[in-house]
């Protein structure tokens, strides 16, 4: 395995890691959840909230094996975003994980931090510009390495 694949810090260069390293990064952030289920839950909610074109650009930056992990949630490139308020967004993730909605900000932060290891800074900024404030703060904090919420 190359050193680049072992890097768990966000480079901002879109030098995605393999699936195993990506999931290990999520598991370190979220030891109480299945990493695969957390990624799928967050990505499904995120792709509902983002325009289809942004989702497609995000998918293109993921490595093929990570893309396969989240591909079940992908929507068409021309699909408009779904309006979800904060409670609906958190509930969507919680239902997917069969977990309490109060813990979902922690889950979002953990998965977002891992996603940032996969994408460029420019892509991250595009995504942030499309997110509502209640998710944008967590997205930006996870990119900056701010301590995860408890």
């Amino acid at each position: 395995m190359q050193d680049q694949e072992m890097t768990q810090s966000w480079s901002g260069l879109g030098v995605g890691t393999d699936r195993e390293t990506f999931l290990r990064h999520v598991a370190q952030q979220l030891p109480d959840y299945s990493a695969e289920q957390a990624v799928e839950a967050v990505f499904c909610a995120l792709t509902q909230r983002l325009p289809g074109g942004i989702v497609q650009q995000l998918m293109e930056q993921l490595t093929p094996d990570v893309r396969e992990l989240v591909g079940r949630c992908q929507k068409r490139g021309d699909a408009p975003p779904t309006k979800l308020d904060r409670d609906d967004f958190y509930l969507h993730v919680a239902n997917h994980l069969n977990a309490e909605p109060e813990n979902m900000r922690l889950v979002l932060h953990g998965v977002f931090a891992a996603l940032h290891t996969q994408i460029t800074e420019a892509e991250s900024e595009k995504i942030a510009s499309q997110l509502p404030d209640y998710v944008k703060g967590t997205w930006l904090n996870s990119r900056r390495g701010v301590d995860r919420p408890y």
Side-chain angles (χ1 to χ4, degrees), residues 18-138:
D18 63 10
R19 180 181 179 140
E20 180 182 332
T21 305
F22 176 70
L23 289 174
R24 187 172 42 245
H25 186 84
V26 173
Q28 288 172 344
Q29 297 278 321
L30 304 170
D32 296 334
Y33 297 93
S34 157
E36 283 192 36
Q37 288 179 343
V39 168
E40 185 177 307
V42 171
F43 200 84
C44 285
L46 189 62
T47 58
Q48 277 194 2
R49 186 57 188 89
L50 293 171
I54 296 288
V55 172
Q56 184 61 38
Q57 291 171 8
L58 172 61
M59 291 294 285
E60 289 170 1
Q61 290 201 6
L62 301 175
T63 58
D65 55 347
V66 173
R67 193 178 308 141
E68 178 183 298
L69 176 67
V70 298
R72 288 176 269 182
C73 301
Q74 189 174 359
K75 66 181 181 181
R76 293 188 351 252
D78 60 350
T82 303
K83 299 280 186 200
L84 296 173
D85 68 19
R86 188 181 111 188
D87 292 339
D88 288 340
F89 189 88
Y90 287 176
L91 190 58
H92 182 83
V93 176
N95 285 342
H96 203 105
L97 287 173
N98 198 22
E100 295 298 321
E102 310 69 67
N103 301 327
M104 292 309 101
R105 192 162 157 249
L106 170 66
V107 171
L108 291 174
H109 189 278
V111 173
F112 288 171
L115 273 174
H116 285 300
T117 67
Q118 305 292 307
I119 63 175
T120 64
E121 183 173 2
E123 188 64 26
S124 175
E125 289 171 2
K126 279 188 222 172
I127 292 168
S129 73
Q130 298 294 319
L131 293 172
D133 290 341
Y134 63 85
V135 179
K136 185 187 295 188
T138 304

